[in-house]
Amino acid sequence: VSPGCRGAPGRFAYKLLHDLFANYSSALRPVEDTDRALNVTLKVTLAQIIDMDERNQVLTSYLWVRQTWLDAHLSWDKDEYGGIDSIRIPSSYVWRPDIILYNNADEHFGGSMETNVVLRSDGHITWDSPAITKSSCEVDVSYFPFDGQQCRLTFGSWTYNGNQIDLRNQLDTGDLTDFVENVEWEVLGMPAARNVITYGCCSEPYPDVTYTLLLRRRASFYIFNLLLPCIMVSFLAPLGFYLPADSGEKVSLGVTVLLALTVFQLLVAESMPPSESVPLIGKYYIATMTMITASTALTIFIMNVHHCGPGARPVPPWARRLILHHMARLCCVYEVGESCKSPRRAPGGRAAAGDAAGAAGDAAGQGQVGTEVRGCPWEHCLCHHDALLRNVGYIAGCFRRHRANQRRTGEWKKVAKVMDRFFMWVFFLMVFLMSVLVLGNAA
């Protein structure tokens, strides 16, 4: 084959391009009959989810948009041009439908890239153009971080109505074959639907194609960084009741846990939109902070009970029966040397026995003194001095009052200890139930 014959197809392409666009205008809709609608087929391929901004409710995605239509003025007989069946030319050469993203949220409102179109001999034009779009998406964070979102991408013509351009979707769903997996969101599907809407401005119908992107959040990151630390910190709050009252750290532990949860709450609030719907994890934080606030207040009250001094009133009979008998046995609070299963002695029994022994000793001493008085001459015995007798009686009375005060203080301390143990188990149960409810609602 001569070199001239090998160059013939190239010359045919130049001749074809010159002949096609000699009397062609890209400003007019390419139809034979202006009363008939031009069919435009749309196909969208989702390549990547770049970002989901929940606070501003904007989805940034990378799409491949394919538009196909028939240009009645750009067809040729391929046998007359060396068998050329298709050519690729800049898209600005031909008429293009003004298909845009209706719910565009980009401040610059950028369109697709100026890529080439594929023009076939029968007049069909295929225009593939990649585009990075920012679309508005109504975000519902009620079940964050176990939530799912539905973001819509609505494509349609901006100026041509349904009587001029009949827009249809090529597939019933978006193309996900080339989708790059996102680390935060899992794509469940992308169904497509064609809608014909009549707007208030115009009487003509306007068709559009809406792709609904079904997303589900991958919650592992938030479980390990927000939820599990909150659960572990929450289980520390009931342990404040287990601390001894004399340690001085009971209230400090509750305040520290409350501050830690406040920091986690602020982290969640920064990424959420300022809406009325509170996310699930935010509700859990608020409930836990309320519980810790209540536990800190109860701790202050119990410490006040624990430090009731000698001037306090005795433990009421109802509190003695309810707290020192029933609740103490329920919470396994017992004295040293006793157990929960052993029969319990009456509160103050040991002190009462001591007082009885002291009283018996005092009586015996008084009887012995009386014996000595009766057997001792008046002038040789010092026991007959009234001052000495008054001093001995005063010392014995002080001892008895001291023992009574100790017994009363010990009863109040035991009341505080029983209340500590009771509220510790109550708050442990509350934390467990709240955690189960959160995970149950998430499921």
Side-chain angles (χ1 to χ4, degrees):
V1 182
S2 63
C5 293
R6 288 197 296 267
R11 292 196 299 270
F12 284 139
Y14 280 106
K15 182 177 185 300
L16 173 62
L17 183 64
H18 180 270
D19 293 343
L20 287 176
F21 294 97
N23 297 315
Y24 181 83
S25 174
S26 61
L28 299 177
R29 189 166 56 98
V31 291
E32 294 290 349
D33 187 359
T34 56
D35 293 333
R36 298 185 61 181
L38 177 64
N39 295 324
V40 177
T41 304
L42 181 67
K43 176 184 177 182
V44 173
T45 300
L46 179 63
Q48 185 181 1
I49 295 177
I50 299 176
D51 182 41
M52 166 67 85
D53 189 354
E54 292 94 345
R55 190 170 185 84
N56 296 318
Q57 302 190 33
V58 174
L59 171 67
T60 304
S61 55
Y62 178 40
L63 305 176
W64 298 343
V65 182
R66 169 175 288 187
Q67 303 176 46
T68 305
W69 67 93
L70 175 64
D71 195 320
H73 305 309
L74 295 179
S75 60
W76 69 91
D77 186 3
K78 57 183 178 181
D79 295 333
E80 296 181 1
Y81 294 93
I84 297 178
D85 182 59
S86 63
I87 58 174
R88 286 158 177 81
I89 57 177
S91 59
S92 59
Y93 285 17
V94 301
W95 175 90
R96 294 172 297 179
D98 55 346
I99 305 299
I100 64 170
L101 181 64
Y102 279 176
N103 56 332
N104 197 333
D106 193 357
E107 58 183 0
H108 302 294
F109 210 83
S112 304
M113 289 183 60
E114 294 293 333
T115 56
N116 291 340
V117 298
V118 179
L119 177 60
R120 301 190 179 278
S121 59
D122 55 359
H124 281 89
I125 299 178
T126 301
W127 182 26
D128 286 325
S129 60
I132 296 178
T133 62
K134 290 185 178 181
S135 58
S136 58
C137 178
E138 185 178 354
V139 179
D140 184 12
V141 293
S142 300
Y143 292 95
F144 175 85
F146 305 98
D147 57 330
Q149 306 298 334
Q150 294 185 2
C151 296
R152 291 176 174 82
L153 301 170
T154 302
F155 294 90
S157 175
W158 188 251
T159 58
Y160 294 104
N161 56 50
N163 299 324
Q164 297 169 331
I165 288 183
D166 186 13
L167 181 63
R168 296 186 177 274
N169 49 305
Q170 182 176 347
L171 301 174
D172 293 334
T173 180
D175 189 7
L176 300 175
T177 54
D178 297 316
F179 176 70
V180 178
E181 292 292 334
N182 189 267
V183 295
E184 184 179 0
W185 296 95
E186 179 183 0
V187 178
L188 303 180
M190 193 178 178
R194 180 179 181 270
N195 306 305
V196 179
I197 302 176
T198 302
Y199 296 97
C201 66
C202 315
S203 59
E204 297 85 2
Y206 282 84
D208 64 67
V209 176
T210 300
Y211 292 88
T212 304
L213 188 59
L214 305 178
L215 302 175
R216 183 172 61 189
R217 193 188 302 270
R218 303 181 190 270
S220 301
F221 174 82
Y222 299 98
I223 290 176
F224 286 101
N225 291 277
L226 291 179
L227 192 57
L228 284 183
C230 176
I231 294 176
M232 290 187 290
V233 169
S234 301
F235 274 101
L236 284 178
L239 292 178
F241 293 107
Y242 194 75
L243 281 174
D246 297 330
S247 65
E249 298 294 334
K250 294 172 70 70
V251 179
S252 300
L253 177 62
V255 173
T256 304
V257 172
L258 188 62
L259 291 176
L261 288 177
T262 304
V263 173
F264 282 112
Q265 175 70 18
L266 291 176
L267 290 177
V268 175
E270 286 180 357
S271 58
M272 294 294 102
S275 62
E276 294 183 357
S277 60
V278 180
L280 183 64
I281 191 172
K283 295 178 182 178
Y284 179 71
Y285 284 161
I286 293 174
T288 306
M289 292 168 66
T290 304
M291 184 198 67
I292 294 174
T293 303
S295 68
T296 306
L298 285 172
T299 300
I300 296 174
F301 171 74
I302 294 173
M303 287 182 65
N304 191 17
V305 173
H306 175 83
H307 291 287
C308 284
R313 293 182 298 175
V315 178
W318 65 268
R320 192 188 305 275
R321 288 193 305 270
L322 177 63
I323 299 177
L324 297 182
H325 288 178
H326 303 292
M327 290 178 59
R329 185 173 302 175
L330 180 65
C331 299
C332 279
V333 178
Y334 49 88
E335 301 292 341
V336 178
E338 296 179 356
S339 64
C340 294
K341 298 181 180 179
S342 63
R344 303 185 62 82
R345 289 176 287 184
R350 187 179 307 167
D355 290 342
D362 293 340
Q366 290 177 1
Q368 190 176 7
V369 170
T371 304
E372 292 178 357
V373 169
R374 288 192 296 270
C376 178
W378 180 269
E379 63 274 5
H380 297 290
C381 184
L382 298 177
C383 297
H384 299 288
H385 293 281
D386 294 337
L388 182 59
L389 291 175
R390 285 194 300 272
N391 291 334
V392 172
Y394 176 75
I395 293 174
C398 288
F399 179 73
R400 284 193 293 271
R401 287 193 298 271
H402 179 67
R403 293 293 299 272
N405 291 335
Q406 281 187 334
R407 183 172 64 252
R408 186 160 53 246
T409 304
E411 287 182 350
W412 282 115
K413 288 185 177 180
K414 189 174 181 181
V415 168
K417 186 176 181 181
V418 172
M419 293 175 66
D420 267 335
R421 295 294 174 84
F422 175 75
F423 284 117
M424 181 186 72
W425 291 115
V426 168
F427 278 89
F428 265 130
L429 181 62
M430 290 176 62
V431 172
F432 176 76
L433 289 179
M434 282 194 300
S435 303
V436 170
L437 287 176
V438 168
L439 296 178
N441 288 332

